[in-house]
Amino acid sequence: MDKPALYSSNMEFEQEHWKGEIAFWKNELITFNNRLSELITRWTPKEELAQIKHHQKKIIFHGEALDELLEIMKQEVQIPSQMESNIQTLDAHSSEKHTELRTRMEIQREIYTELKKNIFKFLER
């Protein structure tokens, strides 16, 4: 069974959507980190400080993962070169790279949702 063709215009649209989603996440991560930093000045118990630091490390790790996704979008998926040559459908390599990137974005969404949920639970205490 043949795979459906990926069209460059659809891929470009999807990537632009992902970039916006990543930008939103990065802004939220900054807000979460700022909120956790505020708590450091209020809480002195070592256990609470350790939990704050744990969440801050997860925020840093997630931010780095988002930066990596953006870099992959820049380097591995060559939309502009294909658009310039007026190719409507993508070659197998580009299509595979885009599909891999889509999978990574889906996984990242799940990880981000879990991170956000855990931070909110912590902040509610």
Side-chain angles (χ1 to χ4, degrees):
M1 183 161 143
D2 290 334
K3 290 183 180 180
L6 257 178
Y7 292 93
S8 55
S9 60
N10 294 346
M11 187 173 105
E12 185 175 28
F13 173 78
E14 193 169 29
Q15 277 194 14
E16 288 305 311
H17 177 77
W18 293 339
K19 288 175 187 176
E21 196 171 10
I22 289 171
F24 179 78
W25 290 341
K26 288 178 73 105
N27 283 332
E28 276 195 331
L29 290 176
I30 290 167
T31 303
F32 294 149
N33 193 48
N34 289 342
R35 181 72 177 116
L36 290 169
S37 294
E38 289 172 13
L39 295 178
I40 290 174
T41 61
R42 288 194 235 159
W43 286 354
T44 53
K46 287 183 181 182
E47 182 181 304
E48 300 295 337
L49 290 175
Q51 289 179 4
I52 291 170
K53 293 292 184 190
H54 170 77
H55 288 298
Q56 286 179 320
K57 285 180 184 176
K58 289 211 172 243
I59 287 170
I60 291 168
F61 178 77
H62 193 76
E64 290 170 353
L66 295 176
D67 289 339
E68 184 180 326
L69 282 172
L70 287 172
E71 191 60 34
I72 290 169
M73 282 183 216
K74 286 180 191 174
Q75 291 180 359
E76 292 186 15
V77 184
Q78 303 296 321
I79 298 172
S81 63
Q82 292 199 7
M83 294 294 283
E84 289 168 10
S85 56
N86 246 353
I87 298 173
Q88 293 297 315
T89 60
L90 301 174
D91 62 56
H93 176 73
S94 294
S95 181
E96 183 179 320
K97 288 293 182 188
H98 184 77
T99 302
E100 288 172 14
L101 188 55
R102 182 184 294 139
T103 300
R104 287 186 72 169
M105 280 297 296
E106 290 167 358
I107 292 168
Q108 208 60 41
R109 272 187 206 103
E110 291 174 17
I111 292 169
Y112 184 74
T113 300
E114 188 67 23
L115 172 70
K116 190 173 177 176
K117 182 176 74 175
N118 290 335
I119 289 173
F120 279 130
K121 274 186 189 177
F122 179 75
L123 292 174
E124 286 176 357
R125 300 183 331 158

